Amino acid sequence: MDSSIVTGTRPSAVAGLIGGLASSGVRVVDLTTPLSADTPTLELPQPFANLIDFSLEEVSAYNEPGPFWKHHNIHTGEHIGTHLDAPVHWATGREGKDVAGIEPGRLVGPALVLDVSAEVESNPDFLLETRHIRDWEAEHGELPDGGWLLVRTGWESRSGSRQEFLNNDANGMPHSPGLTVECAQWIARESRLSGIGVETVGIDAGAAGGQEPPFPAHHYLLGNDKYGITSLRNLAELPPVGAVVVVAPLPIVGGTGSPARVFALVDGPNAQ
Ligand code: MN
């Protein structure tokens, strides 16, 4: 064994990671959508109430209110941009954890990338089925404990346009990919995943209000202590297996979710 990754008598896994970062053996990939007033966000139909978008409010900018510094108030809904859904977000998880209560160990884990971008290209209402996950497992191995299933749909390519990202039809109905009821149940009850990550504005399909139960990914995952992350980017840079994902929401006490920074660690040179 390489003595540089041994401390005392035990090999240090973290030392190996540090060595990888320093020697360009570990690359850090940012999976986060930049957060601004232009970030595409969910628009609920009437009569439901919407969150506010993200915005910055200037308090001082090296001027009279603060001559040596610049700082802002931030205004934002919880479920804005790349964000995490905590169990208490959904009625089925109302007795569950708020975003501050999620153990950090659940927020770091193996990233499993399932690519259905070809299916979504021809059908924006595509719903992931358990058989797609089973096919993936046949090729790459069983989904590991504490993993995050990251569903690559190619939706990221629409993120420059709110209209294309939400993809509402003439009746205001959004069309974007999601999960079948059966797949949401399987992930929630049978898998050992910590959660799922998606490129779209929410973890359910755009038309999921018409599924039974409505919004099955929210219904089953959040009701079974699984979590969701949304509006991910750069999933194309990840291998199907072998990456680690780091999900970092703000620990908002009582919060049902939070904008999050999401990184992946993959083999390869770090661009810094
Ligand atoms: Mn959400």
Side-chain angles (χ1 to χ4, degrees), residues 58-194:
E58 184 181 299
V59 175
S60 71
Y62 330 114
N63 52 9
E64 195 179 349
F68 304 121
W69 57 86
K70 180 179 183 179
H71 58 182
H72 302 114
N73 289 317
I74 58 175
H75 297 267
T76 186
E78 296 170 320
H79 300 259
I80 298 297
T82 301
H83 72 273
L84 180 133
D85 284 353
V88 291
H89 177 43
W90 216 251
T92 50
R94 67 201 306 161
E95 306 299 329
K97 294 169 191 158
D98 66 12
V99 66
I102 299 172
E103 302 86 346
R106 302 280 310 275
L107 297 173
V108 179
L112 306 317
V113 182
L114 198 167
D115 184 355
V116 291
S117 51
E119 289 86 341
V120 173
E121 172 122 42
S122 59
N123 175 19
D125 294 303
F126 172 82
L127 298 179
L128 187 75
E129 301 170 30
T130 306
R131 70 180 173 87
H132 297 113
I133 299 176
R134 292 301 197 191
D135 289 348
W136 184 97
E137 286 186 316
E139 192 173 346
H140 301 292
E142 195 176 340
L143 293 175
D145 288 6
W148 284 82
L149 181 65
L150 308 181
V151 185
R152 184 180 161 209
T153 55
W155 212 256
E156 170 193 355
S157 67
R158 298 165 172 261
S159 59
S161 159
R162 180 175 289 251
Q163 191 179 346
E164 284 185 35
F165 199 71
L166 300 181
N167 201 32
N168 290 350
D169 65 20
N171 298 317
M173 171 68 76
H175 294 275
S176 57
L179 309 180
T180 63
V181 169
E182 174 266 345
C183 184
Q185 283 179 330
W186 185 87
I187 290 170
R189 294 174 176 167
E190 307 296 328
S191 86
R192 304 288 301 274
L193 294 171
S194 284

Side-chain angles (χ1 to χ4, degrees), residues 1-24:
M1 177 171 292
D2 180 349
S3 61
S4 68
I5 59 169
V6 174
T7 54
T9 56
R10 291 181 58 215
S12 165
V14 174
L17 178 58
I18 292 168
L21 288 164
S23 69
S24 301

Side-chain angles (χ1 to χ4, degrees), residues 182-270:
E182 174 266 345
C183 184
Q185 283 179 330
W186 185 87
I187 290 170
R189 294 174 176 167
E190 307 296 328
S191 86
R192 304 288 301 274
L193 294 171
S194 284
I196 66 166
V198 300
E199 294 176 43
T200 46
V201 75
I203 58 173
D204 268 299
Q211 291 178 273
E212 186 50 48
F215 308 103
H218 286 85
H219 182 98
Y220 290 111
L221 270 67
L222 302 182
N224 286 276
D225 198 37
K226 312 274 195 224
Y227 319 123
I229 45 175
T230 69
S231 299
L232 294 176
R233 292 188 175 187
N234 299 325
L235 293 183
E237 297 188 34
L238 273 53
V241 290
V244 170
V245 66
V246 179
V247 183
L250 298 176
I252 301 168
V253 176
T256 72
S258 166
R261 195 77 185 254
V262 183
F263 295 113
L265 305 180
V266 304
D267 285 319
N270 197 354

